[in-house]
Each structure stands twice: as C-alpha cells, then as structure tokens.
C-alpha cells in the first residue's frame, strides 16, 4: 500500500518528462506479450534522464508483477539493470523492490537476469555495506538453484560484492567474509563446468579486490586448474606464485591448443616469479643445476649440454649417464621446465604468438631474463608464419634497451632483411634503430646487409636511411674505425668521387654523419668531396643529417641542445611572434593587412617545410590566416560599391572565396589530430562567416525574395545551433562576428531577408579578427601512396566487364580512427568516380600515430580503345555531426548497450583528399567472342 | 582378475622389426609387422611360429594394426599374410595404405633383383596383401567385431602415422607406433586425448635424449650445408624416401629461396615423385602452415630441388636409404668418402650394423663387400632430425593420456631402463620393458557398467546432500544379473520381477534406562530428548504412549523387577538399520539430566 501511494505521487511529479507515462500507456495497451515486448524494446532505444528513472522503474515493476510471460519479465529485468546504470541515478531506492521480485520468480532465466540487475545495482552502491550484505545474502540463498545460469550469476555477484575487509567491520560481517570464501570454494566441485568456471572467476574477483586467499582454497584452485582454462591464483606468499607458475608451465604442453594459448598468455602476466624459475622455462633439460658458469658465447653453442639427458646433437652421447640426485635442485617438475621452448615451437601459430608476447612481457620486467631469451627470440625470426616473425621482431624491439646483440645473433637477425614482406623488413629496420651492437664487425655486417636490402628492394630507401641514422648515432665509436673503409679513402691516393645520387652511398654517409655528431675526431678522416656532400645532404635530407661542427666552417644552424624547452625554441618563438603580429593588426589599412597576411602565410608555410615538428602547427595557422585573407579580400569595400554591371566578376570572386573557406575549414577541423574544442569554435565561427558571405552573394545575384526566405531561415538556424553548441566559449569571442550577430538576433528574426543581408554585410565587415589559440600538439594527417607507384608504362590489361585487382599500399600519419574515415577513390578518365571503403583489417598500426593501409581495390570498366590513366587517391571522410556529438555528449552507457541501433555516425558528410593522386595505367580490353 | 598380456615378437628392447602381440579380454591383436634393417637372414622377420606352429594365423588373431609405412613397421606384412597365411583384417590409415605398397615393392626389388635372394614375397603377394587392408580415418572408431574397437590418433612422425587405441569393453591399450611431439616443417605434433588406457605401449627410441629447440637444429643444419657448398664441397644427406626427406626438402627449399642461392639440390629419383604426389594429396595430414597456404602454393611443389641425375650429381644430394646400408646413398657415399671437403649429414637414427651406424660411431675405415677397405675422409655430421619423441615428449604423451601402466618398446635396453626409472619416479605408474618373446602380464581392474532404473536413481540422489560428481555415492538397490547384463533396480521391482514375496526383517532392541518416574513421563522425556537431537527427522508421540522416529517404534515399559528401571523397546526394519542403530546407541548413552 505504501508503495502504491508512493507510486501515484511519483507519477504526478513525472508528468513533464512524460516518458514514463508514455511507457505506462503503451504497456497498458499491449494485449499480447509480443506487443509488450515490442514496446519495451522501443523504449530501450531511447535514453532516459536521471530524474525520471525512478518513475520508469516503478512502472516497470508494476508490470513485472502483472506479467505472466517470462520473456517480457526477462526484458523488464534487463531494463531495470540498464536503468540503474544511468548516470546520476542512485539505485538504492529500488534495491528492495528488486529483491522482492526475486522471491516469487519461477523462471530461471528471469532469475538470472534479476540477479544480474542486482549486481549492477550493487556495483553502483559499493559504498553502502549493508546493501551489499543483503545482496550477498540473497545470492547465497539462490545458490542452491538447479539452473546453472542462476548459480553462475549468484557466484558472480558474490565475487563482486562479497565483503573483503575482515576485522574492520563488525564481528558478524567478518564471519560472513569467511563464509563467502567457503561458499565459493564449495562450488569449485559443482557438477556443471560452467558453474565451476564462474566460481573460480568469482574467487579471482575477490582476490583482485584484495582478499587474501586461504591456503586450503589455493589447493582447491590448483585441482580445478586441470579441468578448465587456468586462472592465476597468485597469492600473498611469493612461493605460491612460483608454484602456480610451475603449474601453468605444465599447461603449455596441454592437449588442447586453446588451453595452451591461455597458458602462454598467463605466463606473461605473472610478474613476480623468481628469476631461477623463469630461467627454467627456457631450458628443457635443466634437470640438474648449472654447475659451472660459462661465458655468454659458450652458452650460445652449448646451451643445452647440461643435465643428465643428451642433446641429440652428437651421435652416441645418449648413452645413459649417471643419475644425478635431482630431488634437491629440481625447482619445477621436469615436465614444466622448458615451457617457453615448447610454446615457441608449438604447432599452432596462435600458441607461438602468445608465447612470444609472454616472453616480451617477462623480459621487460627482468633484464637478465631478456638476455637469456634473446636466442629464442632470434630463432623465431625464422618462423614459417609471417605474423609470428613480425611479432617476435616487435617484441625484440620492445626489449632492446635491455640487451646487446652478439654477432651470431645479429647475423640471424640480418638474414631476415631479405624477407620479401615489406612489413617484416620495416619492422626489422625499426628494431635495428634501437639495437645495441657490441662490435665494429657487427656494425659493418649490419651496413652490408642493409645495403644488400637496399639494392634488392629500392622502395625501402627512406626506412633504411632512417635506420642507419640511429645506428650511427648510437654507435659512434664503433663506426669510427670503419670510416676509411666505408668512404674508400686511401692514405696516398685520391679515390674517385662516388656518385652523389646513389642511394647506397647516401646510406653510408647518413651512418657516418650521424656517428660524427658525437665523435669530433671523425671529420678529420673525411676527404674533400665528403664535406661537399655533407653540405648538400644537410640541406636536402635535413631530417637525416644532423648539424656537424666541421673544421673551418660555420655551423649551418645553431646547435639545438635538448635542454631548451619548446617555448624557447627559436622556431617556435618565430611562429608565435608572427602570429602575435597578425593578431595585433586591427587598425591597419586593408591593403596593409592583406600584405601582412600574405607574408605571414608564406613565412609559416616555409617554416612548416623546414621544421617538421612544427609543420602541423604552421600549416594549421597558415590555413586559418588564408581563410581570413580570403574573407577580407571578398569583403573589400570598393568592390561592393561598384556599379551593377560589374557585379558579376565581384560575385564570382566572393562566392569562390566563400566556397574555398568552407573547404579549408573542413580541412582544419578534420585533418589535424590534436584539435581541441577551443580551435573547433574558431573554425566553426569561420565557417559561419563563410556561410554569411555566401548568403550575401546569393542575395545579390538572385532575383525575387522566395528562395531567400529559406536561406535566411537556414542561416539563422545555423547561428542558433552554433550558439547552443559552443555556449561556454561565447564569452571568449568578444567583438566577433557571432557575438555581434547574437546581439542583433531579435531584430534579425523579425526582419525581411534583404534587411538581414544588409545587417550581415555590415557585421561581417565590422567584426574583429579572432585570435586562434594553438593547442599543445597539432599534426596534419598525411597519406602517402607507396604502391601503385604510378611509374609503370605497362598498362594493366583486363577484359572489360570483369574486374582487376589493384594492390594499394599507403602509409597514413596522424589519422584518427582510420578504419572509419579513410577511403580510396578511383577516378576514371570519363569522370566516373568510385569510392572504396577498405576493410578494417586492412589497416595496420605499426606505431603510435602511424597507420598502414594495405588493401586491394577492384577496378572495372567497359572496353577502351587504348590504355588510359586512372587516378587513385586517398580521401578522408568527415561528418560534422559526429565530431560535435563526440565532443559534446559523452557517450552514455545507455547508448552503448544498444548495438542494434543504426549508427548515424557512419554517414559521410564530405571528403577531403589528403594524398597525392597516383596514376595507374589500365587497359580494359573488349571481351573475346 | 582380468589381465592384458603383451608379447613383443620384435622391437622388444630393440629397434626394428616392430611386432607386438596383445591379448586383451580374450581378443588377440597384432601391432605392426615390421622387418629388421640390420639382418639379411631369417632374423629380419618376426618369428610368427610363436603364435602357432602350424596352420594359418587367422584363427589366432582378431586383427592386425599397422601404425605407419616405415618398413620396420610394415616390412614383414606380405610375408606374414601371404606366405605364413593370414586372412583377417589389417588396419592402417589412408596415407599408409597408399604409400605402404610402394615401399614394399621397393624393398622387394632391392632384395630380390639386386641381392638375388629367392624365396621372398612377390609383387603379386604385395597386391594380395593390400587387398586385406581396411583404411581408417583419424578419430574414427572402427568396430572390428562386437566387442573389439580401435581408434586412430594423429602421431606426427611421418605422413599418415597414427597411434591406435584398442578397446574391449572398458579395458583399453594405446599403441603409439612411432610418434613425434614437436611439430616440424611439414607435420604436426602427436595428440591424444585423456583416454586413461590401462596400458600405453610407447616407443622409446630417444629415451635418454632431450633435444634442444628444433630451430637451433634447423639453423645448424642450414649453416653446415651452406658453408660446405660455399667451400665447393658436396653434401650427401642420406634419407628415407618419405618423411624426413620431405621436411628437409621444405627446409632447404625455403632457405634457398630466401637466400637466393643457385646451387642445385638433387633428390634421388624413383620414389620421390610418387611420394611427393602423396604428400600433395594428403594435405589434411600435414601441419597448420601447409594446410593454410596450399591454396596459394603447395609447399611440396619444389622449385630448387631437381630429380637426381647421375651425370650432374653435385652439391647437395638427398639419397635413399637413410642408414647407408644399401642402394644409391651407399653408392654416392663410396664415391665421395675420399674427399675431406665433402660432408655427409646423417639426419636420423641408424640401426646397429649399418654403415651409417659405423661411421657415426667414429669408424674411419670400413670394410665393404668383397673385402674392400674404404677410407672415410669426408666430414660426418649427425643431426637428430628424426621425428621420434624425445624423453620429454614421451613424458608429455604419458601425461596427456594418463595410462595406468606403461610399456616401452622400440628402443635400446639400457636407455629404456633409464626412462623407465624416470617414468616410475614422476608418474608413479608401473613401467615394463619386455624383451622379444617375453610376455608381460598386466592386471586390470575394469569397471563394470550397470544399468540403473531412472526412478531408483532419482530417489536415491534425492536423499542426502547435493550430488557430487567427483565422489562415489552409496546407493541401495538390488542387483540383478541376468542374460549377461547387469541391472540395478529397486527392491520392490526386483521382487516383482522375480515373483518373490517380500519378507519383513525387523530388529528389536531393549534399552534400559534408569528413571524412577512414571512410564509416560519417561516417554515424554525420551520424546523431548529425541526431538531435540534429531531435528531433521519427524519424531512423533503417539497417543498410545509410543514414540515413532520415521518408521522406528519406541515403547517404554517399566522393568518387571525394578521399577526404577525403564525398558525401552526399539524396533526397526532392515531398511532403517542405519537410523535404528544410531538411535539405540543414542538411547544407550542415557537421557540428559532432566530439565523439566
């Protein structure tokens, strides 16, 4: 009764949002369960405001009690869970009701769902111990249910909410805490494997929340480990971690490969394992301890010759040796040692990859282990599956600061340079960038192999140069003795000057110059032409060749010591100064403003070319200034005051300007990563101005008022939405176009289109130029199509009407979410354009901010008489709604749970070309009859 | 006690001539039927007279199982089936069935045509023999007869190699044949499920070896070959036509391709083409990589490896057979042995008595046929590429299958001894290693399945706590053994079926209690006491002054002589024995001091 009164009171209050009321009506109308379900589904698609959640919950519960159909009740139960997740809603008021519903429920599925709901509620109310205790009690009660689903949920709930802190709470509670462990422990032997899994997961959850597992339970967990995918139960005692590690090592040789993958992954996640345990995972035969210490090199040769077993390398050494008493030294059972050796040579590459990853993680935390696993990783470079090779190369790179490669290892590593896969080679180049090499022979070997690679695959040029740059700067002392040989200088004779355009020669020079940077004695070994070449390369490949302090020469640029902070960096300063200058010019004559803008834009563009790290910033501001410049030009007073016959030229100019500004603003908004909302406002403001300009131009050219009405309305709507979206930013925009416009808004709404246009024109002209604040980091999205190269003279012939596959390989930089935005466009000579959406799997992510698109484009056309070129380019698709949506509304969990909704975000509003087009010669032949 | 008897006719503490007799639950199975490489006389075949002195073997054997096509596992098959006489079924996998006759024919040719032996099996015999073969798929359960069933598992080793599980009722034996637990370039690793066999018969070729990572081996192999070729030397790799040959070919082929080497690799002709054909055919038996990529390119279509040509035989040559005991490999070896630039790489095991074994043991002077002495100057390298499980692999398989007993065959006695120790130490199971002709008897403890009526099962599980899958549970019922079948039914049903009337059996017991009070007071005290103790049972106080606990009746009377002593009469039926005896013991302890 109490509840009923409560309910009616709530309903009155909730008339305004009316969502719950509508739902109520709907549900009352529903005649069949199917209808009701439909209504509920519809309802679920819409978000609910926090304040009305409670009302909705009440209504749902009311229906819940009335409903006979289990599926509807199930849906209601799930809705309850979703609703209690709503941000800002505190679900404590519905706990009782939810628990009540449990009492009378018969359907197992609904029960399970209700428990799930309780779990959600419980996780929201973690601070409230009494509620949690109640929920746990409820769950314990339902543990005896005959359905595995219900038992699963109960265990999950107990795991998440079961009390952890003993002693802190009252006596009763600590009693319960013990019970919780026992309860979960009891279900380790449940007859349903799913429940067993859930029990172990619950225990794990408890453990993660800080509960100390008891010894007895640990042994139970161990038993269960044999039956399901193992769960690490690392314990308070470090020895137990080791023991668990040993157990999981065993699992690496399990019969099922799924288990093997899991086991290998788990090995990687166990960080506190003591080092001698770790080392045993790399040695199969470590049945006895390593009694004598050997040098690293020796170990490479006879890593396995210890212990009582023979290695199978020599004939006849497998006669049984004397048995060593292994009881004392055998840390892991013999079955478990060498777990990684097994994992790395497993049949399934999934297991091998997992093992490599695990090695990586363990090696990152333990340098000594890193040193030991090196041999194995290097061996993996010759795996038969490319993915595994790639993964091991990446792994090696990640641990490379812990290790130094020996020569024989380097040899194996370098052999992979001949791999035909570009991915592998590039990964290897990256690896070499950060590798430590121990000897000068090693460096020489690396250089020779890289040059071999260069001749074999000329497209790797950039990557190899970059690699040599780092190799040189890392090992200046090792390069020094090689210099005469590398430059082929002779103490007495002059040697011929090498060809400056030879990529191999450039590669050698890059290595030497980078080494010379920290080795002042080196330039003495250079011959004359080397200095000339230095000057040339310093200018043409400035990103690869560092400034050198050469004898008898002034430094090309002042040395940039790393201690200088970005703000003191002269180029940075220059950027800011030039911007300051522009922003201060409010009262210059129009001519002066234009000139200054033009100069600044030119300066910025040049700066962007010179300083690659500032390129994004410089381009961004240059574009902005360019827009401003266009706007100023278009608004020049004298042009607008000319006589009617001259309108035509003027209009063309203005509308072109407006169009270009629009384009540029889209570029600014979507092509740069790191744009913050402050910049977005300015960009949108600029776009608004462009639209105003467009309106003015149209007003002057069109006869009649009818079309103008619509346009004005539309424009005013845009202003309105701008105001709504960026209301918080408006105070920063004093004196700007929009600021003035909003002041005049009441007048605009009521006045005629012609009036509006006039007002707009004056406001546009009077408004001040907005200061564009620069974000910390700004990068322009760039794309570079590597393949097709566009150099082929042989047309790609195919039969018309059929398709031909064209492999496209491109590198993308600073593109956010390339899977959603990057498209491939093919332009045929007849103007036909084709837009291709590459598959998400076609994008690789070799490094932060970089992506690689390797996809296949299918072309087709009717027959041509002669071969012709088509253009392939990459486009960046954008959608202004999306950026707004993601910027303004944080993605609510409510929306996330409804994947069935059509995603409005996928709609493409427009595209920006962001790569140079590449021409491909194709020839569709007529089909033979 | 039921028992399994195992008698190796070959491969008992020996390698070669695999032939093991197993009798399990009255069924006789012969596992493998191989020849011995080391002998050229009668010893090369197993002694089938052990089975029966005269007459055909069909009556004594239920089936023959061949694990794979290597001659030491199938070489004696035509002799056995055609010359000794056996008409029963012979089981082998599909690739084995395809390749086996080729090898047998090759073997026959060498023995008869080259060595000129007579009284050997003929081509026709091989054909007839193969007609008796039944091919099986992996994991397919084949019913040999109503009771005997066999099932094949993947064994790695060579194409088509399988491990067989032989099962009669719930007794089972797993025979591994030869197997490999580490995958190689063309085959996967052996795998078996946790089938808890009573006996696992495992090979133990590498009982004392734990091989290091195969990657090191591969790298070393490639390096040695490459270096020798660059030095201008020649490399001889004696291999058997099938198996290792293919793995090494793939290895060299990919290496050649990667390093862009031009030196040709030759492969002795004849079997190679046919063999490669089968490898292309049975792609499902190969490893993950080959299975996944064969659509683009079948790995067995070699680019750098050419058919052997006597005139140009140079550089790298694969030649058969693998132990240098005859044929082409021996010829080439004799030709090249004198040059120290050359190298011979033995990639696998060599049986005692073969040239391969001799040179690996360090002999530099060999006595060839016709009293010639051959001096070996070339380098001899051994590299364990043979696809047998090493000690670790054997242990791993034992861990996977969890047998109750292990029996080792196909290995040298000394090494077996060592491994046997290790197995007993680590798994605590019995391990046997019989010599040829020696019979091992293993006692089994088979579980006997009994049908139980659903009603009874439900009723019995309802009593007591939640059912626990892991623990044995006590049940009450009647076991009926009739027509070779066992059934567990409720006593009522059993009575009904057998047409017997039920006899009631009641126990009665008197308990003396010192209680000076009146009878009904005593009864009340007893009632209260029991009610307090037996909370889960229905305890009732009947109006006639007696107490019932479930179906147990308790009555109290005053002792005829001593009024201070009350006699409690407790009576219960046989079915309630448990509760009844508990109650009497409870009452014998006496009542608690009165609280009333």
């Amino acid at each position: 009764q109490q509840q009923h009164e409560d309910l009616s009171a709530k309903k009155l209050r909730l008339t305004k949002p009316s969502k719950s009321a509508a739902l109520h009506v709907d549900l009352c109308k529903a005649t069949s369960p199917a209808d009701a379900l439909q209504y509920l589904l519809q309802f679920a698609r819409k978000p609910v405001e926090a304040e009305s959640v409670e009302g909705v919950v009440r209504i749902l519960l009311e229906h819940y009690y009335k409903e006979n159909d289990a599926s509807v009740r199930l849906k209601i139960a799930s809705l309850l869970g979703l609703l209690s997740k709503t941000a800002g809603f505190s679900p404590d008021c519905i706990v009782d009701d939810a628990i009540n519903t449990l009492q009378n429920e018969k359907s197992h599925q609904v029960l399970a769902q209700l428990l799930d709901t309780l779990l959600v509620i419980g996780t929201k109310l973690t601070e409230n111990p009494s509620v949690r205790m109640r929920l746990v009690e409820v769950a314990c009660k339902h543990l005896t249910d005959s359905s595995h689903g219900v038992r699963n949920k109960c265990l999950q709930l107990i795991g998440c909410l079961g009390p952890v802190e003993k002693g802190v709470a009252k006596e009763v509670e600590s009693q319960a805490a013990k019970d919780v462990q026992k309860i979960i422990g009891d279900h380790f032997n449940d007859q349903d494997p799913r429940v067993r899994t859930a029990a172990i997961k619950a225990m794990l959850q408890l453990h993660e929340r800080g509960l100390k597992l008891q010894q007895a339970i640990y042994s139970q967990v161990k038993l269960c480990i044999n039956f399901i995918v193992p769960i690490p139960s690392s314990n308070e005692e470090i020895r137990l971690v080791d023991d668990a590690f040993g157990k999981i090592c065993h699992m690496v040789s399990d019969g099922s490969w799924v288990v093997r993958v899991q086991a290998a992954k788990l090995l990687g996640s166990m960080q506190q394992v003591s080092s001698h345990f770790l080392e045993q995972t790399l040695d199969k035969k470590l049945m006895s301890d390593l009694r004598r210490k050997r040098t690293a090199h020796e170990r490479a040769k006879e890593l396995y010759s210890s212990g009582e077993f023979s290695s199978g390398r020599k004939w006849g050494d497998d006669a049984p040796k004397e048995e060593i008493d292994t009881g004392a030294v055998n840390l892991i059972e013999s079955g478990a040692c060498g777990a990684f050796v097994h994992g790395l040579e497993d049949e399934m590459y999934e297991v091998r990859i997992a093992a490599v990853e695990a090695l990586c993680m363990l090696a990152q935390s333990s340098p000594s282990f890193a040193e030991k696993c090196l041999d194995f990783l290097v061996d993996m470079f010759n795996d038969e599956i490319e993915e595994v090779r790639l993964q091991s190369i990446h792994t090696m790179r990640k641990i490379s600061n812990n290790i130094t490669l020996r020569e024989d290892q380097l040899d194996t590593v370098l052999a992979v340079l001949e791999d035909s896969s570009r991915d592998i080679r590039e990964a290897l180049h990256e690896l070499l960038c950060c590798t430590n090499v121990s000897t000068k022979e090693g460096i020489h070997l690396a250089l020779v192999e890289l040059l071999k690679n260069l001749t074999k695959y000329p497209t790797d040029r950039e990557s190899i140069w970059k690699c040599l740059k780092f190799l040189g700067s890392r090992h200046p002392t090792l390069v020094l003795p090689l210099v005469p040989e590398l430059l082929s200088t002779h103490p007495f004779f002059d040697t011929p000057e090498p060809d400056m355009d030879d990529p191999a020669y450039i590669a050698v020079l890059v290595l030497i110059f980078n080494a010379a940077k920290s080795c002042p004695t080196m330039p003495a070994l250079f011959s004359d032409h080397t200095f000339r070449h230095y000057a040339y390369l310093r200018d043409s490949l400035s990103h690869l060749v560092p400034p050198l302090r050469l004898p008898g020469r002034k430094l090309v640029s002042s040395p940039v010591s790393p201690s200088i902070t970005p703000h003191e960096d002269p180029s940075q300063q220059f950027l800011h100064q030039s911007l300051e200058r522009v922003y201060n010019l409010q009262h210059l004559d129009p001519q002066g403003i234009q000139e200054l803008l033009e100069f600044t834009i030119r300066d910025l563009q040049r700066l962007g070319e010179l300083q690659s790290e500032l390129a994004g910033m410089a381009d961004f501001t240059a574009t902005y200034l360019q827009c401003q410049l266009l706007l100023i030009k278009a608004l020049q007073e004298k042009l607008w005051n000319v006589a009617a016959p001259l309108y035509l030229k003027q209009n063309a100019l203005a509308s072109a300007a407006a169009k270009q500004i629009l384009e540029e603003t889209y570029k600014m908004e979507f092509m740069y990563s790191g744009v913050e909302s402050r910049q977005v406002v300015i960009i949108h403001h600029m776009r608004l101005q462009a639209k105003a300009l467009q309106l003015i131009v149209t007003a002057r050219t069109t006869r009649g008022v009818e079309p103008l009405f619509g346009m004005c309305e539309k424009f005013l709507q845009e202003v309105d939405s701008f105001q709504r979206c960026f209301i918080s930013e408006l105070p920063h925009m004093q004196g700007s176009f929009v600021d003035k416009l909003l002041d005049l808004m009441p007048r605009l709404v009521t006045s005629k289109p012609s009036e509006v246009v006039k007002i707009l024109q004056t406001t546009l002209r009077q408004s001040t130029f907005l200061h564009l604040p620069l974000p910390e980091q700004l990068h322009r999205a760039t794309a570079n199509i590597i393949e097709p190269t566009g150099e082929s003279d042989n047309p790609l012939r195919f039969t018309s009407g059929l398709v031909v596959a064209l492999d496209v390989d491109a590198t993308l930089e600073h593109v956010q979410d390339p899977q959603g935005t990057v498209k491939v466009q093919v332009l045929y000579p007849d103007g036909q354009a084709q837009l291709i959406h590459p598959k998400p799997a076609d994008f690789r992510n070799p490094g932060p901010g970089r992506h690689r698109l390797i996809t296949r484009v299918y072309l087709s056309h009717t027959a041509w008489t002669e071969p012709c070129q088509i253009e392939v380019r990459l486009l960046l698709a954008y959608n202004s709604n999306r950026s707004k949506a993601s910027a303004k509304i944080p993605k609510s969990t409510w929306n996330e749970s409804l994947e069935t909704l059509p995603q409005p975000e996928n709609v493409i509003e427009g595209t920006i070309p962001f790569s140079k087009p590449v021409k491909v010669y194709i020839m569709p032949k007529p089909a033979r009859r | 006690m039921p028992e399994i008897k195992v008698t190796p006719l070959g491969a008992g503490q020996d390698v070669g001539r695999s032939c093991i007799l197993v009798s399990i639950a009255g069924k006789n199975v012969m596992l493998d039927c191989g020849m011995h490489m080391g002998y050229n006389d009668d010893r090369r075949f197993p002694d089938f007279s052990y089975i029966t002195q005269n007459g055909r073997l069909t009556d004594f054997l239920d089936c023959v199982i061949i694990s794979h096509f290597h001659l030491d596992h199938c070489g004696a098959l035509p002799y056995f089936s055609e010359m000794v006489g056996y008409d029963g079924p012979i089981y082998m996998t599909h690739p084995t069935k395809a390749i086996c006759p080729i090898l047998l024919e090759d073997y026959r040719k060498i023995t008869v045509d080259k060595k000129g032996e007579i009284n050997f099996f003929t081509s026709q015999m091989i054909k007839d023999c193969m007609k008796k073969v039944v091919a099986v798929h992996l994991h397919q359960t084949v019913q040999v007869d109503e009771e005997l069933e066999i099932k094949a598992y993947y064994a790695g080793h060579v194409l088509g190699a399988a491990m067989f599980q032989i099962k009669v009722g719930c007794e089972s034996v797993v025979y591994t044949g030869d197997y490999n637990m580490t995958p190689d370039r063309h085959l996967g690793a052996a795998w078996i499920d946790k089938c808890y066999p009573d006996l696992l018969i495992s090979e133990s070729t590498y009982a004392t070896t734990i091989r290091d990572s195969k990657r090191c081996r591969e790298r070393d192999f490639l390096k040695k070959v490459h270096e020798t070729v660059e030095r201008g030397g020649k490399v001889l790799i004696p291999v058997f036509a099938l198996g290792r040959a293919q793995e090494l070919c793939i290895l060299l082929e990919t290496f050649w391709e990667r390093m862009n080497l031009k030196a040709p690799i030759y492969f002795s002709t004849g079997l190679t083409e046919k063999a490669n054909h089968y490898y292309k055919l049975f792609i499902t038996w190969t490893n993950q990589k080959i299975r996944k990529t064969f659509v683009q390119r079948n790995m067995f279509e070699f680019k750098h490896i050419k058919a052997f040509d006597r005139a140009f035989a140079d550089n790298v040559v694969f030649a058969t057979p693998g132990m240098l005991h005859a044929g082409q490999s021996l010829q080439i070896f004799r030709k090249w042995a004198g040059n120290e630039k050359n190298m011979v790489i033995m990639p696998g095991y060599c049986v005692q008595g073969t040239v391969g074994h001799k040179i690996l043991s360090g002999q530099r002077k060999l006595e060839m046929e016709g009293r010639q002495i051959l001096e070996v100057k070339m380098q001899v390298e051994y590299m364990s590429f043979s696809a047998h499980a090493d000690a670790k692999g054997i242990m791993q398989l034992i861990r996977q299958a969890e047998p109750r007993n292990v029996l080792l065959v196909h290995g040298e006695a000394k090494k077996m001894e060592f491994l046997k120790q290790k197995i007993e130490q680590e798994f605590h199971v019995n391990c046997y290693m019989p010599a040829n002709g020696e019979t091992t008897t293993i006692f089994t403890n088979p579980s006997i399945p009994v049908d139980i009526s659903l009603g009874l099962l439900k009723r019995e599980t309802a009593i007591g706590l939640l059912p626990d899958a892991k623990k044995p549970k006590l049940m009450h019922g009647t076991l009926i053994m009739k027509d070779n079948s066992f059934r567990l039914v409720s006593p009522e049903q059993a009575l009904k079926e057998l047409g017997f009337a039920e006899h009631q059996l009641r126990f009665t017991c008197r308990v003396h209690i010192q209680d000076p009070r009146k009878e009904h007071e005593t009864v009340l005290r007893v009632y209260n006491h029991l009610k307090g103790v037996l909370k889960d049972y229905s305890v009732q106080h009947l109006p006639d002054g007696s107490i019932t606990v479930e179906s147990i009746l308790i009555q109290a009377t005053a002792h005829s002589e001593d009024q201070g002593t009350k006699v409690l009469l407790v009576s219960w039926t046989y079915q309630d024995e448990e509760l009844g005896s508990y109650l009497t013991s409870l009452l014998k302890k006496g009542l608690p001091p009165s609280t009333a």
Side-chain angles (χ1 to χ4, degrees), chain B residues 56 148 167 217 244 337 425 437 449 468 488 563 589 594:
Chain B
R56 299 181 70 78
L148 177 63
K167 198 172 170 189
R217 249 177 294 151
R244 250 14 56 211
Q425 187 184 323
D468 192 332
L488 193 66
Q563 284 296 317
K589 277 184 209 153
S594 171

Side-chain angles (χ1 to χ4, degrees), chain A residues 593-607:
Chain A
I593 291 178
Q594 273 185 38
E595 272 174 19
L596 183 59
L597 278 174
E598 272 165 20
F599 283 133
T600 318
I601 290 167
R602 204 196 57 203
D603 285 352
L604 286 174
Q605 278 168 347
R606 179 66 186 145
L607 179 69

Side-chain angles (χ1 to χ4, degrees), chain A residues 883-902:
Chain A
S883 67
K884 261 186 236 160
S886 58
K888 283 289 140 191
I889 311 161
K891 261 192 196 147
S892 67
T893 45
W894 176 255
N895 281 334
E896 271 175 350
S897 62
L898 307 163
E899 300 99 333
T900 47
L901 270 183

